[in-house]
Amino acid sequence: MSVARRVVAGVVVLLAVLTACAQAPRGDAPPTSAPGFPATVAHKFGVTTVPAPPRRVVSLGYTDQDAILALGVVPVAVREFFGGQPSATWPWARPLLRGATPEVLPLAEVSVEKVAALRPDLIVAVSAGLTRERYQTYSRIAPTIVQPAGYVDHGTPWQETTRIVGAALGRGAEAERLVTGLEARFAEVRSRHPAFAGKHLATGRVYVGDRGQYMVWSSQDPRARFFSALGFVPIPDFDQRAGSRFYADISVELLSLLDTADLVVWITSGEAERASIAGLPGYAALRTVRDGRSMFVGDEMSGALSFSSVLSLPRALDVLPAELAARLPG
């Protein structure tokens, strides 16, 4: 058999296996009817129908487990993001596992066979950045939801992530209560810190050892959205450089662009990364650095902002506003 024929044969077999996994009866199959089901969920690639309350949910997005857990469902598998946390679940979400230990899927691409072996009845891939082709493949295993239309990959706001996951789980009203409650907390923090309004804030990072570029997140990124929700405004030039992405890579030769900000926040992971930033050519000469308007956010706060979820953001609101206020001039 030629190589081409072997490849085609392999694809046919794989699709047959996926179809069987999707259609085979399961001992833990959900009930055939329940209030709110079948649920229909609109997203970037169309509409997904969830026929019954899901019992085996795979959290394929890098941060989707937080919304799933917040809505009272424990996924059978979660995706590794960063930090090496137990069950890839950070402290703010861990109690909601209720002692369960979901399987941890790799940071790198997750194989179709691996997902099929988990026997999911819902795949949540809102923050996975799936291509249409990959979405269609996973959809052969189980109903799959991705980000809502109108947002860049990895740029869905926490409100919309909570709502779309709530819709798929049949818990839309509960999701809306969570959104309303956290938005009220943001409003309360804004009222206590009116000085944030209209101030330009840049947020970025540098990968360890990379002295040639630094990265800034655009206003489409969930981390940047946290600061916008407090009243800060993004640097327009950085948004233009990012284009349709959630970030922009900028040459260190243009490090002085950071001086167009009133405040610079570096979201880092570990002392090595913080040292790498402090060692950038020209960093010490920045006005924002000399004036004390450049700050590092690391460890758990870095995780809270990187997840930017309905569970992690309350932790960030407990800590960061006071630190930001202390750095602002005047």
Side-chain angles (χ1 to χ4, degrees):
M1 182 183 291
S2 68
V3 172
R5 288 182 178 178
R6 285 198 299 270
V7 170
V8 171
V11 170
V12 170
V13 170
L14 175 58
L15 292 179
V17 169
L18 296 182
T19 301
C21 288
Q23 296 177 350
R26 303 169 183 158
D28 56 357
T32 56
S33 65
F37 288 91
T40 56
V41 183
H43 51 72
K44 177 180 179 179
F45 295 137
V47 176
T48 291
T49 299
V50 184
R55 290 185 176 177
R56 295 187 60 82
V57 178
V58 168
S59 183
L60 192 62
Y62 293 103
T63 61
D64 295 343
Q65 66 265 40
D66 277 14
I68 298 167
L69 288 166
L71 290 162
V73 175
V74 178
V76 296
V78 300
R79 186 83 171 268
E80 180 61 76
F81 185 20
F82 77 100
Q85 299 293 313
S87 297
T89 304
W90 285 68
W92 53 79
R94 204 171 298 147
L96 296 176
L97 290 175
R98 302 196 296 274
T101 55
E103 185 164 345
V104 177
L105 302 173
L107 176 67
E109 186 170 341
V110 182
S111 74
V112 175
E113 295 87 347
K114 179 65 175 177
V115 175
L118 291 164
R119 299 181 296 115
D121 46 30
L122 176 65
I123 299 170
V124 179
V126 178
S127 60
L130 295 186
T131 63
R132 182 180 292 275
E133 292 74 19
R134 203 65 173 168
Y135 159 74
Q136 290 171 340
T137 300
Y138 286 129
S139 293
R140 293 182 67 91
I141 303 172
T144 300
I145 62 168
V146 298
Q147 71 214 51
Y151 299 107
V152 301
D153 288 349
H154 313 293
T156 305
W158 65 268
Q159 296 97 321
E160 298 311 313
T161 296
T162 306
R163 288 177 174 129
I164 196 170
V165 172
L169 296 176
R171 306 186 182 197
E174 185 176 350
E176 199 59 42
R177 284 194 296 271
L178 290 171
V179 169
T180 300
L182 185 49
E183 285 184 335
R185 281 236 24 217
F186 273 101
E188 188 271 330
V189 172
R190 284 196 304 273
S191 70
R192 285 193 285 109
H193 296 282
F196 293 170
K199 296 293 193 304
H200 285 91
L201 184 143
T203 181
R205 71 174 298 179
V206 170
Y207 292 103
V208 174
D210 188 350
R211 299 295 180 88
Q213 287 186 320
Y214 66 102
M215 184 178 78
V216 292
W217 283 294
S218 79
S219 59
Q220 295 279 328
D221 182 80
R223 284 155 286 220
R225 292 184 194 277
F226 169 81
F227 298 105
S228 296
L230 295 179
F232 293 97
V233 295
I235 309 296
D237 183 48
F238 292 166
D239 267 7
Q240 292 172 6
R241 291 173 184 272
S244 61
R245 300 178 301 173
F246 66 95
Y247 69 96
D249 286 320
I250 302 177
S251 168
V252 171
E253 295 175 354
L254 299 176
L255 194 65
S256 61
L257 290 174
L258 293 172
D259 275 339
T260 62
D262 295 296
L263 189 61
V264 178
V265 178
W266 298 96
I267 300 175
T268 63
S269 180
E271 287 298 330
E273 188 174 340
R274 291 187 274 279
S276 186
I277 293 169
L280 290 174
Y283 176 80
L286 291 172
R287 289 194 305 275
T288 50
V289 174
R290 297 199 312 267
D291 296 345
R293 293 182 286 115
S294 180
M295 61 180 280
F296 293 125
V297 173
D299 307 320
E300 187 175 349
M301 283 301 102
S302 175
L305 291 174
S306 296
F307 269 73
S308 280
S309 72
V310 71
L311 291 181
S312 73
L313 289 174
R315 188 71 61 93
L317 286 173
D318 287 341
V319 174
L320 291 177
E323 295 183 5
L324 296 168
R327 296 278 181 170
L328 281 176

